């Protein structure tokens, strides 16, 4: 969260960041501005919907509003990935009765589906399934058990029936679908994402680290400042610690994409898996977003359910960096109210003591100087009375990221000259990014100016301590090697 140069920061500062998806609802007059004013830290551009021009127009508007409000709002482009879907029905939809036979027919015309069979947009499905497999359609609302694979036909029995309409998603329980993570559409959308200047790019359905490496190579030199986000939604991606850690380490952030992931591994496994992903991401110094149906009822209601409140609060207490809204803000009736509700719930959860205590890496050694400085600053700040904030002078945002892996009730202030670094930090839990130009300053001037800025923003006041990290050579990546405990009254008494 960032604030205008003229505006003080008011307590309490929300530590958990809010990601909001843009869409038709946010396009209405005044809505996007109200959403950003209500506290959106990252906007999501969903490439599953809308044209390149739509995304460009929305991002230009975000940047214009953010500049006017003095905010650093990051942009997350989200690639569609290989969503495997049924084809379409002649009548638009059919009713599948429990116990009935139903065929997924790879040779059927794309508009010729009926109550007995339907086509599929993914021809390789025929090679990925065998008798005994369970297929889940429409986010798990319908369940089909495979009984036979005959030629181009997958024969099934309906185990859980209901209405099936056009282009509904198909998942296989336990995973095992071989579709590549990056489709031709994704490659085109990736080029668009680089062109319009997103800060993060999410890759859907990666199975292993190699999928993220491929995306990194496609970004190339033009996209070297774009952080990759792995959307964890395949059973294979979370099947074992080595695979999960490999994916996490191959990107800058991960997303717990609970829709498809829950369908593939089962809801009963999803609870523990979400907690494991958050813990591993933070241990490996990566950001983590918790997503899907967090306040789903607010698509049509001005208030969340109690269950949604507890769901969001649970993710906050697990130290997720961000919580994400999808249809709630893209297509819902109450996009601004949803963000306001999310803000309230996050703040409420963050007041709990468990959200402010950390044992992160307390029994481990460190290998990097900047990492040692960042973690030392956090532990010192958490144990020294009178500390108002941890201020990190940074060229890339890395030191604030490392510091933010430790739970604390204190704000971490990322002081950066680079607008890209400021937006990158918009995703990090507990980090407030402020513009700070360190050029042409002596070491003492750096300290004095940093303290003056924190006093101006209302973050610190005379009598407070401020932990300050910086490098001897400013604007050098990985150069943080100094930790100072500054007394505000010494400089501004």
């Amino acid at each position: 969260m960032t604030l205008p140069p003229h505006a003080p920061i008011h307590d309490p500062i929300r530590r958990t960041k809010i990601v909001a998806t843009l869409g038709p609802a946010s396009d209405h007059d005044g809505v996007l501005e109200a959403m950003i004013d209500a506290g959106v830290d990252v906007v999501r551009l969903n490439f599953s919907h809308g044209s390149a021009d739509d995304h460009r127009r929305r991002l230009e508007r975000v940047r214009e509003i953010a500049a006017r409000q003095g905010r650093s709002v990051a942009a997350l482009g989200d690639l569609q990935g290989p969503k495997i879907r049924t084809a379409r029905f002649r009548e638009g939809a059919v009713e599948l009765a429990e116990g009935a036979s139903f065929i997924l027919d790879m040779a059927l015309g794309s508009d010729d589906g009926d109550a007995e069979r339907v086509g599929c947009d993914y021809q390789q499905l025929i090679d990925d399934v065998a008798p005994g497999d369970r297929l889940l359609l429409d986010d798990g609302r319908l369940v089909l058990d495979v009984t036979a694979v005959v030629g181009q036909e997958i024969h099934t029995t309906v185990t859980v029936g209901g209405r099936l309409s056009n282009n509904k998603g198909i998942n296989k329980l336990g995973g095992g679908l071989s579709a590549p993570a990056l489709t031709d559409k994704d490659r085109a959308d990736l080029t668009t994402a680089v062109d319009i200047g997103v800060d993060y790019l999410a890759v859907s359905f990666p199975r292993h680290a190699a999928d993220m490496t491929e995306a990194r190579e496609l970004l190339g030199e033009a996209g070297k400042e774009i952080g990759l986000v792995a959307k964890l939604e395949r059973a294979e991606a979370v099947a074992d610690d080595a695979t999960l850690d490999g994916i996490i380490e191959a990107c800058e952030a991960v997303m717990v994409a609970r829709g498809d992931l829950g369908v593939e591994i089962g809801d009963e496994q999803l609870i523990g898996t979400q907690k494991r992903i958050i813990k591993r991401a933070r241990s490996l110094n990566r950001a983590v977003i918790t997503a899907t149906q967090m306040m789903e009822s607010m698509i049509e209601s001005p208030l969340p359910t109690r269950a949604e409140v507890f769901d969001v609060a649970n993710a906050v207490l697990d130290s997720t960096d961000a919580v994400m809204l999808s249809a709630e803000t893209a297509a819902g009736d109450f996009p601004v109210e949803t963000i306001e509700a999310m803000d309230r719930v996050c703040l409420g959860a963050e007041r709990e003591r468990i959200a402010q205590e950390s044992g992160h890496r307390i029994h481990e050694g460190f290998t990097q100087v900047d990492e040692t400085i960042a973690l030392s600053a956090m532990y010192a700040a958490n144990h020294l009375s009178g500390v108002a904030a941890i201020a990190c002078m940074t060229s890339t945002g890395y030191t604030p990221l490392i510091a933010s892996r430790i739970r604390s009730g204190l704000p971490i202030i990322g002081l950066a000259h680079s607008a890209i670094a400021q937006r990158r930090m918009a995703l990090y839990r507990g980090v407030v990014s402020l513009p700070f130009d360190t050029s042409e300053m002596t070491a003492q001037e750096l300290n004095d100016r940093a303290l003056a800025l924190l006093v101006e923003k209302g973050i610190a006041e005379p009598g407070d301590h401020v932990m300050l990290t910086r490098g001897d050579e400013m604007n050098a990546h990985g150069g943080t090697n100094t930790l100072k405990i500054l007394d505000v009254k010494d400089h501004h008494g």
Side-chain angles (χ1 to χ4, degrees):
M1 175 182 285
T2 54
L3 288 166
H6 58 273
I9 292 177
H10 300 289
D11 284 333
I13 297 171
R14 172 171 41 80
R15 304 183 67 78
T16 310
K17 303 305 180 76
I18 295 175
V19 182
T21 305
L22 303 187
S26 64
D27 288 342
H28 295 146
D29 284 349
V31 171
L32 183 57
E33 182 138 14
M35 286 170 58
I36 293 173
D37 189 53
V40 170
D41 300 288
V42 182
V43 296
R44 172 175 172 252
L45 306 171
N46 185 1
F47 286 104
S48 297
H49 306 285
S51 65
D53 286 342
D54 290 333
H55 301 309
R56 183 187 306 276
R57 171 179 51 80
R58 284 170 179 152
L59 183 50
E60 286 174 352
R61 184 90 179 104
V62 167
R63 294 271 155 84
E64 173 200 329
I65 293 168
R68 192 165 63 244
Q69 294 188 9
R71 298 280 310 284
S72 286
V73 177
L76 167 67
D78 194 338
L79 301 178
Q80 177 176 301
K83 187 75 172 178
I84 299 169
R85 299 178 185 275
T86 65
R88 294 176 293 279
F89 296 93
R90 289 196 197 105
E91 306 298 326
V94 296
E95 286 289 333
L96 299 185
E98 182 179 335
S101 297
F102 191 70
I103 296 172
L104 297 172
D105 187 345
M106 304 302 124
L108 192 67
S110 59
D111 295 298
D112 295 335
D114 57 26
E116 295 180 354
R117 65 183 62 218
V118 71
C120 176
D121 68 355
Y122 179 62
Q123 298 294 303
Q124 289 74 27
L125 185 63
I126 204 84
D127 300 317
D128 289 346
V129 300
D133 285 344
R134 173 161 286 189
L135 299 177
L136 304 112
L137 278 57
D138 193 10
D139 289 334
R141 293 181 178 88
L142 293 93
V143 179
L144 309 179
D145 285 341
V146 177
T147 55
V149 178
V150 182
Q152 292 297 297
E153 299 177 348
I154 299 171
H155 292 239
T156 74
T157 298
V158 179
T159 303
V160 177
R163 185 175 184 271
L164 180 62
S165 56
N166 296 335
N167 304 120
K168 292 305 178 188
I170 302 173
N171 293 86
K172 178 182 167 186
L173 186 65
L177 299 182
S178 61
L182 293 163
T183 65
D184 290 342
K185 171 178 164 50
D186 293 331
R187 292 166 190 270
D189 288 339
L190 182 145
T191 301
T192 298
V194 172
D195 186 44
I196 65 178
V198 301
D199 302 291
Y200 290 96
L201 184 69
V203 176
S204 296
F205 300 101
R207 288 169 295 178
H208 35 61
D211 291 329
M212 304 308 298
T213 303
E214 181 185 0
R216 181 91 61 195
E217 290 169 354
L218 288 171
L219 283 174
E221 189 66 20
K224 69 181 187 341
E225 300 289 355
I226 295 175
L228 281 179
V229 179
K231 293 174 66 179
L232 298 170
E233 46 196 339
R234 275 185 158 163
E236 298 95 315
V238 300
D240 58 77
D241 289 343
T243 302
L244 176 59
D245 285 2
I247 293 174
I248 293 171
E249 291 177 317
C251 55
E252 279 68 42
V254 295
M255 182 189 296
V256 190
R258 304 182 304 180
D260 284 286
L261 183 61
V263 171
E264 289 213 354
I265 68 174
D267 287 340
E268 69 280 2
Q269 295 292 326
L270 183 61
I271 304 137
T273 300
Q274 172 176 313
K275 291 178 179 292
R276 179 163 64 102
I277 292 169
I278 293 173
K279 184 176 181 180
R280 291 307 301 154
R282 292 182 61 81
S283 294
L284 294 169
N285 296 329
R286 302 299 193 272
V288 56
I289 304 165
T290 304
T292 318
Q293 296 179 327
M294 299 216 79
M295 289 197 162
E296 185 91 346
S297 72
M298 290 194 73
I299 294 172
E300 298 174 338
S301 167
L303 291 172
T305 66
R306 292 285 185 274
E308 289 165 342
V309 167
F310 273 78
D311 179 33
V312 172
N314 182 55
V316 171
L317 293 175
D318 284 340
S319 293
T320 189
D321 284 89
V323 284
M324 193 176 97
L325 298 164
S326 298
E328 299 97 328
T329 52
D333 295 333
F334 302 97
V336 178
E337 291 87 346
T338 304
I339 292 159
E340 291 170 345
M342 187 76 93
D343 178 75
R344 290 193 302 272
V345 174
C346 290
L347 283 168
E350 289 166 4
R351 280 195 290 269
E352 293 302 311
R353 188 181 181 111
I354 189 176
Q356 302 178 18
E357 296 178 337
S358 180
H360 177 70
R361 299 189 61 183
I362 198 163
H363 300 299
E364 295 180 28
F366 307 132
T367 58
Q368 297 171 224
V369 172
D370 52 356
E371 181 179 69
T372 305
I373 294 293
L375 296 178
S376 298
M378 291 304 298
Y379 277 118
N382 280 346
H383 290 84
L384 176 65
S385 62
V387 175
I390 301 93
C392 305
M393 294 185 190
T394 180
S395 60
T396 63
Y398 184 70
T399 301
L401 168 66
I402 297 297
S404 69
R405 300 308 83 187
I406 293 182
R407 296 184 186 192
S408 175
L410 298 169
I412 301 163
I413 313 301
L415 302 173
H417 177 55
S418 161
I420 293 171
Q422 288 171 40
R423 292 196 299 268
R424 178 72 66 92
M425 289 185 278
L427 183 59
Y428 303 158
R429 182 183 177 97
V431 176
V432 178
S433 69
L434 295 175
F436 192 77
D437 187 356
T438 60
S439 58
E440 312 279 321
M441 285 193 212
T442 67
Q444 188 56 50
E445 284 175 326
L446 285 173
N447 296 348
D448 290 346
R449 294 274 187 91
L451 289 179
L453 180 60
L454 267 57
V455 170
E456 175 192 333
K457 293 293 183 186
I459 298 170
E461 58 186 27
D464 287 338
H465 297 303
V466 170
M467 316 292 292
L468 179 69
T469 71
R470 58 191 259 309
D472 290 334
E473 294 183 33
M474 291 307 298
N475 302 318
H477 175 48
T480 298
N481 62 2
T482 304
L483 166 60
K484 288 182 175 291
I485 303 176
L486 301 177
D487 193 333
V488 178
K489 71 183 178 185
D490 285 348
H491 301 272
H492 305 280

